[in-house]
Amino acid sequence: MITADLFAEANQLQCEQILPEVFLLRSFALQMAPQILNQLDLIAAQSPFRRMQTPGGFFMSAAITNCGDVGWHSDRQGYRYSEIDPQTEQAWPVMPECFRELAETAARQSGFSRFSPDVCLINRYEVGAKMGLHQDKDEKDFSQPIVSVSLGLPIVFQFGGPKRNDPVQRIPLQHGDVIVWGGAARRYYHGVLTLKPGQHPLTGSYRYNLTFRQAR
Ligand code: MD3
Ligand code: FE
């Protein structure tokens, strides 16, 4: 059983408040990373990573899959959450209990005691992949935070404000880092810069990002 105390002890928890309701928990997922990556292999065997098409007809450079009650999906028709993976025509893989516990513990430590994610969206970046500035607005309740877990190669995360052309701040994210995004910042534009080449002992040439959300 993983408790908040164990996380804090094992990781000598460093928590940095970036904005009023945004917390960066450096190395919070470090101890659990091998277990998370094992689970990711099982999830991807059931619902493979795929590059999704956008309504504009382009393909995202990150490959995506999901686990949970619903999954986020994009195609020419738009962005949405659905109970069925349109590629497999089956339910998305079940969210592993250790995922839920990690996300809820991080949220609770950041002041979000009622967070109960129904989806974990998983991005896989290969060298050269990026994610342009965007807002996450397909979820129902914006008072709930998003919990992000970075694994593998480092990347530079950038976030601005509520308007696309607001000035951006950049934060390097490393293997094991967790961010809890709530409050007004939940609606801020954000993205990641291009993944640089490298080798990580646990993920090789990839970076993974898990985002836990309450979509419905
Ligand atoms: C700020 N993922 O999946 S995670 C995404 O590293 C996404 O893969 C990035 O943006 C990644 O939608 C960034 C950190 C994050 C996640 C959600 C946010 C920051 C956020 C929602 C609102 C504001
Ligand atoms: Fe996002």
Side-chain angles (χ1 to χ4, degrees), residues 53-68:
Q53 203 168 13
T54 64
F58 298 99
F59 282 87
M60 299 176 66
S61 61
I64 296 176
T65 188
N66 297 267
C67 62

Side-chain angles (χ1 to χ4, degrees), residues 45-122:
Q46 210 177 314
S47 275
F49 283 101
R50 79 294 302 262
R51 288 180 59 199
M52 294 182 179
Q53 203 168 13
T54 64
F58 298 99
F59 282 87
M60 299 176 66
S61 61
I64 296 176
T65 188
N66 297 267
C67 62
D69 297 341
V70 293
W72 185 86
H73 184 259
S74 167
D75 60 22
R76 292 305 300 255
Q77 275 69 56
Y79 309 113
R80 66 200 168 277
Y81 284 98
S82 58
E83 276 142 36
I84 300 297
D85 175 349
Q87 183 169 310
T88 63
E89 301 180 341
Q90 306 284 316
W92 295 97
V94 171
M95 188 188 300
E97 202 49 50
C98 65
F99 280 30
R100 169 179 308 285
E101 193 157 357
L102 173 68
E104 289 184 2
T105 305
R108 205 179 314 119
Q109 294 200 0
S110 305
F112 297 97
S113 56
R114 297 183 51 184
F115 183 57
S116 173
D118 54 5
V119 50
C120 172
L121 191 167
I122 304 153

Side-chain angles (χ1 to χ4, degrees), residues 121 123 131-132 134-137 146 157 188 190-191 211 213:
L121 191 167
N123 297 136
M131 191 170 286
H134 66 278
Q135 290 173 298
D136 290 17
K137 47 187 185 185
I146 290 181
F157 170 71
Y188 285 8
H190 61 278
T211 46
R213 301 141 186 265

Side-chain angles (χ1 to χ4, degrees), residues 121 123 125 131 134 136 146 148 150 155 157 159 173 179 181 185-192 207 209-211 213:
L121 191 167
N123 297 136
Y125 296 84
M131 191 170 286
H134 66 278
D136 290 17
I146 290 181
S148 147
S150 291
I155 208 161
F157 170 71
F159 68 95
L173 291 180
I179 311 186
W181 278 92
R186 174 69 180 71
R187 296 168 188 276
Y188 285 8
Y189 277 88
H190 61 278
V192 296
R207 172 192 184 248
N209 183 77
L210 285 62
T211 46
R213 301 141 186 265

